[in-house]
Amino acid sequence: RECAAAYSCLLAAVLIDVASNNANDEAAIDALRNYSIATIRMIPIFVQQASRSSCVHSISGKELIFQIMCVGRAWEDHHLVEHSNVYVDEMVERCSFLWCNLSTSFRMPPPALRFTWEQLVWVAFMTLLEGFSKVPHCSTEGRSLMSMDLATLSHGLHPESVKTALLERHQSIITTPSDSCREDMMRYVDTFIKVFYFPDEDV
């Protein structure tokens, strides 16, 4: 609902533009046109920030960061772990559930739906990065666990993985989400994890 409300600003911008074209007074036209241009330029940034804010709330971003911090000494242990942390599976499941609701509600046009999913994926990776950045001490094996968490998240948010997971629970046809920013975000977070291994001059 918050993402859809943000898009309503586009309609307001169009109405301002139309009103400026129909005004009679030159001074009023210039003032309204300048306001219209400023509004239209601001809209994409506003929509993006509003969408990301609603996505953080939707996936319980603060709670996820807290769960990452609560892993505690597991980040410092010197033994390899075979499985990723539970919070990653929960985040993937929540994102898939959100996509199911968004894609089957028929309330958002395809471009807005695609944009909202992209922001949700962006927020999921950045939430993971934010949690990792708050780990005060981390062993080499801990970094390996971070890489495993990241790989699990990336695989879970792959369009086909999302579709397959949802089809196992729902008989209705599920639209496949886009995959425009997932790989870029994975590389971004992966750089943070691997920079631990680089000497200072390479960093």
Side-chain angles (χ1 to χ4, degrees), residues 21-37:
N21 291 329
N22 294 329
N24 296 321
D25 182 76
E26 279 297 325
I29 291 175
D30 289 339
L32 194 55
R33 183 176 293 114
N34 291 335
Y35 180 75
S36 174
I37 292 172

Side-chain angles (χ1 to χ4, degrees), residues 72-98:
R73 294 193 60 83
W75 298 121
E76 303 177 37
D77 286 347
H78 292 284
H79 67 274
L80 292 173
V81 180
E82 297 182 357
H83 304 286
S84 58
N85 288 298
V86 176
Y87 59 75
V88 182
D89 296 324
E90 293 175 350
M91 180 157 54
V92 168
E93 184 177 359
R94 187 168 299 177
C95 289
S96 299
F97 176 76
L98 288 169

